[in-house]
């Protein structure tokens, strides 16, 4: 029997034979709502029209405005740390501190310098290194505590006490991006991913006096270009043809600038100039200096290396609107973090996110136990909100800022709210109590910061601090039970010693920060804990 192969033939045959026939043609299934876009879509940017799946002209305009807004928002919250470094750089230049020179605060930094969460307890010294002409040498003095960060505010290496010189002083050779030349011996090697890096260090007072410390810093700190084939290169390397022979001669003298009492700003902007400064960073640094995923939103808003940044009126309006919301978001993340794990004690106002997310905002700081170091497994994700939170309020990043190693480095706790979870009012008086045996091997201090600038609170006191040191203000005195109570208020409370009071300003909110230098085990074990900041009046 001949087989019928076409549907039409089957239908004809069935008809001729008067047989019932099943239809072989299949109808298309209905389109599932799960893969459909309705004609009208209600969103937070308004009603969007998609007739038969095709966006209307009005919808296209709304979508791209929102997309540009999103990229501009991400460019702020995820890369503001680069603009923060740029603002630091511009601040240095504004007071005459050139690249490869040193800014030193011989009598400590005071509230006239707008500098994110700096302190008034240690002698600061810092500078920018220009690596565009080749490697630079940084010699640090004994007993330094600091780090080198790149221009996107990533940690490069610790210097001083937590670094490879372990506080004995040493030479650091900072290599520029892509450097493939010889690496001499006798240096601590630091490889940078950016053309410019910032280095910063602090040194502790000696017998409550900054003068001998400043003198030591000026004596031992040196910044100069590396002479290829010079010191650090054995003659045998030259004779074997593996290195050229360079000159051996004293380095040029290092230029120091005094910073104490200088009024200048290093705070990143939160107006349109933010994007202009971001463009300056992109143009200055190698194209591959920042991860491509982070560079994506920056490029999407027109900031591309080698091209002019010239947004039209529409784009400038979107950038300005995005920046307004991004700044508000970043400030909120800093002032009122919602992640409970960022607070050091359950239910407390005291916080420091670095213990939970680490200096790279990914894996928590390792535990240090009698059995040894116990690292946490990688989380596999970046804690973006914590990173934005940190860099909105803090300058500098290093593992030494929150490591659980007793007797080394420094640690910090700050709070934005009082014991009642209310923001601080500069017209009111508050107190905080530190139980006896404050766990520090060097010194402790409180510093107050201005809510707006995140810099030291500017009051007639000049140095808004209180602590165990007696310079630049009297040392705090303990109570009869060994505990120490510090007061924050516009006037010195009756029967309270000057060293136990930090002045506030009516009309200005503030942020208290507790520092422990060379913290001890009771702090990490949380067997010692400061009180919450309690309102008195």
């Amino acid at each position: 029997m001949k087989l019928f192969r076409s549907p039409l033939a089957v239908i004809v045959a069935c008809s001729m034979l008067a047989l019932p026939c099943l239809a072989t043609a299949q109808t298309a299934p209905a389109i599932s709502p799960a893969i459909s876009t309705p004609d009208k879509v209600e969103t937070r940017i308004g009603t969007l029209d998609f007739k038969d799946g095709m966006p209307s002209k009005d919808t296209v305009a709304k979508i791209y405005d929102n997309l540009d807004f999103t990229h501009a928002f991400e460019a702020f919250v995820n890369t503001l740390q680069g603009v923060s470094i740029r603002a630091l750089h511009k601040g240095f230049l504004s007071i005459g501190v050139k690249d490869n020179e040193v800014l030193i605060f011989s009598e400590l930094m005071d509230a006239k310098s707008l500098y994110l969460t700096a302190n008034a307890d240690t002698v600061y010294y810092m500078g920018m290194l220009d690596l565009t002409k080749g490697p630079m040498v940084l010699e640090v003095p004994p007993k330094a505590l600091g780090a080198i960060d790149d221009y996107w505010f990533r940690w490069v290496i610790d210097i001083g006490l937590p670094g490879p010189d372990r506080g004995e002083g040493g030479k650091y050779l900072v290599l520029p991006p892509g450097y493939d030349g010889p690496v001499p011996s006798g240096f601590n090697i630091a490889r940078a991913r950016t053309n410019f890096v910032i280095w910063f260090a602090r040194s502790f007072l000696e017998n409550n006096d900054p003068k001998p410390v400043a003198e030591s810093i000026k004596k031992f700190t040196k910044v100069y270009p590396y002479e290829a084939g010079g010191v650090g290169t054995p003659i045998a390397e030259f004779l074997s043809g593996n290195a050229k022979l360079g000159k051996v001669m004293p380095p040029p003298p290092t230029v120091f600038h005094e910073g104490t009492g200088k009024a200048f700003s290093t705070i990143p902007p939160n107006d349109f100039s933010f994007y202009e400064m971001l463009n300056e960073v992109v143009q200055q640094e190698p194209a591959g200096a920042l991860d491509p995923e982070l560079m994506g939103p920056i490029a999407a808003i027109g900031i591309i290396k080698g091209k002019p940044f010239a947004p039209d009126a529409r784009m400038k309006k979107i950038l300005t609107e995005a920046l307004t919301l991004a700044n508000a978001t970043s400030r909120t993340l800093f002032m009122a973090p919602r992640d409970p794990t960022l607070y050091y004690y359950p239910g407390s106002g005291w916080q420091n996110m670095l213990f939970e997310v680490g200096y790279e905002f990914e894996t928590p700081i390792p535990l240090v136990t009698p059995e040894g170091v116990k690292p946490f497994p990688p989380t596999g994700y970046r804690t973006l909100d914590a990173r934005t939170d940190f860099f909105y309020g803090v300058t500098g990043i290093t593992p030494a800022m929150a490591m659980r190693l007793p007797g080394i480095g420094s640690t910090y706790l700050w709070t934005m709210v009082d014991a009642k979870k209310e923001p601080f009012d500069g017209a009111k008086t508050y107190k905080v109590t530190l139980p006896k045996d404050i766990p520090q091997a060097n010194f402790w201090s409180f510093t107050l910061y201005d809510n707006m600038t995140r810099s030291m609170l500017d009051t007639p006191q000049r140095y808004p601090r209180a602590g165990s040191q007696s310079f630049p203000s009297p040392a705090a005195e303990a109570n009869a039970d060994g505990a120490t109570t510090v007061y924050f208020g516009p006037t010195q409370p009756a029967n309270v010693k000057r060293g136990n009071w930090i002045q506030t300003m009516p009309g200005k909110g503030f942020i208290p920060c507790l520092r422990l230098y060379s913290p001890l085990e009771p702090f990490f074990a949380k067997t010692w804990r400061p009180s919450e900041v309690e309102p008195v009046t």
Side-chain angles (χ1 to χ4, degrees), residues 9-46:
V10 171
I11 293 171
V12 170
C14 291
S15 177
M16 291 174 62
L17 296 173
L19 295 173
C21 189
L22 298 174
T24 59
Q26 298 288 322
T27 59
I31 298 177
S32 167
I35 62 171
S36 300
T37 300
D39 288 349
K40 298 283 186 183
V41 178
E42 300 299 332
T43 74
R44 66 193 309 163
I45 63 171

Side-chain angles (χ1 to χ4, degrees), residues 120-440:
D121 296 288
T122 60
V123 178
Y124 275 107
Y125 43 113
M126 62 196 73
M128 301 294 303
L129 299 183
D130 179 358
L131 306 178
T132 58
K133 297 179 180 63
M136 292 293 296
V137 178
L138 169 65
E139 296 189 18
V140 301
K143 301 179 182 179
L145 175 62
I148 299 174
D149 289 342
D150 75 10
Y151 218 89
W152 286 109
F153 236 143
R154 293 170 299 202
W155 177 70
V156 177
I157 194 172
D158 283 324
I159 58 178
L161 291 164
D165 72 89
R166 300 297 297 276
E168 296 298 312
K171 296 181 178 181
Y172 290 78
L173 180 63
V174 188
L175 305 177
Y179 180 82
D180 60 359
V183 178
S185 59
F187 293 88
N188 299 302
I189 305 300
R191 293 185 179 273
R193 288 187 279 175
T194 55
N195 291 328
F196 289 77
V197 300
I198 185 171
W199 65 273
F200 57 92
R202 295 147 289 167
S203 287
F204 303 138
L205 307 187
E206 292 185 10
N207 298 318
N208 294 300
D209 187 356
K211 291 182 181 179
V213 181
E215 291 172 359
S216 175
I217 292 168
K218 292 178 180 179
K219 177 180 178 180
F220 291 104
T221 303
K222 294 181 175 60
V223 178
Y224 54 91
Y226 169 67
E227 178 69 35
V231 174
T233 301
I235 295 295
E237 290 286 306
F238 166 71
L239 296 176
S240 65
N242 294 325
K244 73 174 188 177
L245 200 60
K247 298 178 181 178
V248 177
M249 54 191 302
T254 298
V255 177
F256 289 86
H257 296 263
E258 182 55 57
T260 299
K262 288 281 180 69
F264 68 106
S265 176
T266 66
I267 309 300
N270 54 296
D271 61 8
F272 186 77
S273 64
F274 175 92
Y275 293 112
E276 294 171 330
M277 289 177 66
L278 181 59
N279 180 58
E280 291 171 2
V281 178
V282 170
Q283 302 307 326
Q284 171 187 281
E285 297 303 333
L290 191 64
D291 298 338
E293 290 291 332
L294 289 176
M295 282 301 299
I298 297 174
I301 60 175
I303 297 177
I304 301 172
K305 187 172 178 63
K307 296 184 178 182
F309 174 51
D312 58 18
R314 166 194 162 273
M315 192 63 181
K316 191 167 184 178
K317 180 175 182 292
I318 289 172
L319 290 171
T320 303
E321 291 174 349
L323 181 138
T324 300
L325 182 58
N327 176 70
T329 301
S330 302
R331 176 172 283 278
T332 299
L333 287 170
F334 177 63
M335 301 297 294
R338 64 179 177 179
D339 183 350
T341 66
L342 303 187
Y343 294 86
Y344 197 61
Y345 310 101
S348 173
W350 295 112
Q351 58 173 293
N352 185 332
M353 76 289 292
L354 294 186
F355 288 104
E356 182 65 22
V357 301
Y359 73 96
E360 291 189 317
F361 307 96
E362 191 270 328
T363 302
I365 296 289
L367 296 175
V368 178
T369 72
E371 294 75 36
V373 176
K374 292 186 177 180
F376 288 90
T379 62
Y381 60 84
R382 192 85 63 202
T383 326
L384 300 179
D385 289 353
R387 181 176 65 187
T388 302
D389 171 353
F390 181 86
F391 283 115
Y392 193 80
V394 182
T395 291
I397 188 68
T398 159
M401 293 177 77
M403 56 184 177
R404 296 185 173 96
L405 186 60
I408 301 291
S410 56
T411 196
Y412 317 85
L413 292 177
W414 57 89
T415 181
M416 312 298 183
V417 293
D418 65 20
K420 297 179 180 180
K421 298 297 189 290
E422 295 293 332
F424 294 106
D425 182 343
K428 296 180 179 180
T429 299
Y430 302 84
K431 67 177 182 178
V432 58
T433 299
L434 304 181
K436 67 177 182 178
D437 300 325
I438 300 171
Q440 48 78 28

